[in-house]
Amino acid sequence: MRPTSDFQAIVAPQPAKPIAVVAMGGHAFMRTGQPATFDTHLKNAAEISARMMTLIERDYDLVITHGNGPQVGMLMQQTDIARDQVPTMPLDVLVADTQGWLGHIMQQEMLNQLRRRNLNRFVVTMVTQVEVDKRDPAFLAPTKPVGRFMSEQEARAAAEQHGWEIVEDSGRGWRRVVPSPRPQRVVQWRMIQDSARHGHIVIAGGGGGIPIIKNSYDDYVGVEAVIDKDLTSGLLASSIGAELLVILTDVPHAYVNYGKPNQQALGAVTAEEAEKLVSQGHFAPGSMGPKVQAIQSFLKRGGRRALITDGASLELALEGRGGTHFVGRL
Ligand code: ADP
Ligand code: MG
């Protein structure tokens, strides 16, 4: 018979490690000005994977989410050009496509980095669906520009032909707009949590997740919409009981008076201070706004700490020497 102490060692639950959710911007794979090639994506995936190792070395269980704006835009353009020759896939399927190939290169580069450091972890990408409410007001007023830029004439013709809503996008041309409903539930949250708790690195919620609704028969169906990746990351982080939410973007801090002469980097901010700064309009809608909103809802639902910074500052920021830190109840 097995000695009791040995048996206990086997059945005793391991003390849970803290889970960190790290959200990468879609531009992390393709910075402004870089060519939109596969090589660019791969090189950036390798760089960001190397930076992620600091979280593994600090003994976090790790879940990575990412944006897909530029990538789903390219797919929409390909789909559009090939419309007469290949059947067109709906937007939810294109989001799923980007989760697949971006997950593939992140898996590859994370595994390469782990091997170089003799770290023994598995990496998996979860095709992640996110339930949205079919009564979400976003479905009545699409606001999120997606895909390629068009002339007004071309956009009007496309709108007529495909039933698209279109909009003039900040002086840069005309684009299709789609609804951006609020994420309600990450359908695969439990599998993401289980895998992370076993020490596996999980890539999930790519592009904000694949939007699905429940129809009047309570069946799931995909919808032509996109979900904000920051809001989904915040929701996922609280659903799986993450301790830390890191939002990696292309600026080292969140700032007050951003872009003005009196701009000032934020060091540490409490949940109450964040609320005040939001009400003063410091965080632009569609960019920094949803990041701070995601952090607020994470802290409200039991999250302890959140961080906004860029890849280059991540390591220093984790030591408390960089980035913008948000803390909930102490
Ligand atoms: P991501 O792909 O990481 O989501 P976004 O472009 O959506 O990137 O958001 C990051 C951008 O937010 C920054 O490049 C900056 O231009 C903008 N921004 C707006 N308000 C602020 C602010 N208060 N502090 C810092 N950046 C801000
Ligand atoms: Mg963004």
Side-chain angles (χ1 to χ4, degrees):
M1 239 189 71
R2 198 190 291 276
T4 319
S5 60
D6 206 26
F7 178 69
Q8 279 171 345
I10 289 167
V11 295
Q14 295 286 315
K17 289 180 190 172
I19 299 178
V21 171
V22 181
M24 308 163 38
H27 288 280
F29 292 107
M30 201 181 103
R31 305 214 189 90
T32 315
Q34 289 185 327
T37 59
F38 179 68
D39 281 353
T40 298
H41 283 79
L42 198 56
K43 212 167 129 259
N44 288 327
E47 188 189 309
I48 196 89
S49 296
R51 302 216 188 272
M52 295 283 181
M53 291 300 123
T54 183
L55 286 149
I56 306 294
E57 284 160 353
R58 278 157 213 272
D59 228 19
Y60 280 98
D61 284 332
L62 181 58
V63 175
I64 299 169
T65 65
H66 61 84
N68 72 345
Q71 295 78 24
V72 82
M74 288 196 291
L75 267 184
M76 290 175 83
Q77 187 165 1
Q78 289 173 4
T79 301
D80 230 20
I81 293 168
R83 185 177 288 282
D84 298 333
Q85 295 178 37
V86 189
T88 301
M89 295 294 148
L91 187 49
D92 53 310
V93 172
L94 301 187
V95 174
D97 281 349
T98 63
Q99 288 188 353
W101 79 264
L102 291 169
H104 152 56
I105 63 172
M106 279 305 288
Q107 284 178 190
Q108 177 180 306
E109 296 311 317
M110 288 294 287
L111 286 169
N112 288 340
Q113 292 296 332
L114 290 163
R115 182 183 46 80
R116 278 174 212 164
R117 290 167 172 76
N118 277 322
L119 294 166
N120 226 342
R121 300 255 204 145
F122 293 107
V123 188
V124 66
T125 300
M126 208 82 74
V127 173
T128 312
Q129 294 155 321
V130 172
E131 191 179 335
V132 297
D133 186 346
K134 62 173 181 269
R135 291 173 305 261
D136 193 305
F139 286 110
L140 301 172
T143 53
K144 175 75 184 163
V146 288
R148 66 198 172 96
F149 290 90
M150 298 171 278
S151 68
E152 179 174 357
Q153 192 186 11
E154 195 186 354
R156 292 208 184 283
E160 176 87 1
Q161 200 179 349
H162 314 307
W164 292 352
E165 303 264 350
I166 51 168
V167 74
E168 207 285 321
D169 187 4
S170 21
R172 295 181 297 173
W174 288 72
R175 287 174 97 185
R176 179 181 175 194
V177 278
V178 296
S180 186
R182 286 190 71 84
Q184 302 292 340
R185 201 171 74 91
V186 177
V187 178
Q188 285 77 24
W189 72 270
R190 190 60 194 261
M191 285 74 83
I192 296 167
Q193 183 186 52
D194 282 353
S195 305
R197 287 249 179 269
H198 279 88
H200 308 320
I201 296 166
V202 189
I203 299 153
I210 304 162
I212 61 175
I213 56 165
K214 275 202 172 145
N215 69 13
S216 42
Y217 302 100
D218 256 7
D219 283 333
Y220 281 134
V221 279
V223 283
E224 296 267 337
V226 292
I227 308 173
D228 183 89
K229 72 108 183 21
D230 295 313
L231 298 184
T232 294
S233 304
L235 174 64
L236 176 62
S238 39
S239 311
I240 64 176
E243 167 162 322
L244 173 66
L245 170 62
V246 180
I247 301 190
L248 289 184
T249 183
D250 56 356
V251 284
H253 293 94
Y255 300 84
V256 289
N257 301 311
Y258 179 69
K260 298 184 190 150
N262 59 344
Q263 158 180 317
Q264 225 182 341
L266 290 163
V269 183
T270 63
E272 294 89 69
E273 284 164 346
E275 203 155 312
K276 195 162 151 215
L277 295 170
V278 167
S279 70
Q280 292 169 346
H282 285 288
F283 309 118
S287 57
M288 193 49 70
K291 298 185 200 312
V292 176
Q293 213 183 321
I295 287 173
Q296 286 180 298
S297 88
F298 171 63
L299 294 179
K300 232 173 252 166
R301 294 185 216 187
R304 299 267 296 277
R305 270 188 328 133
L307 176 59
I308 295 178
T309 192
D310 59 11
S313 314
L314 176 62
E315 187 155 8
L316 274 184
L318 289 170
E319 288 168 13
R321 297 193 286 143
T324 299
H325 296 254
F326 295 80
V327 287
R329 280 143 291 154
L330 295 172

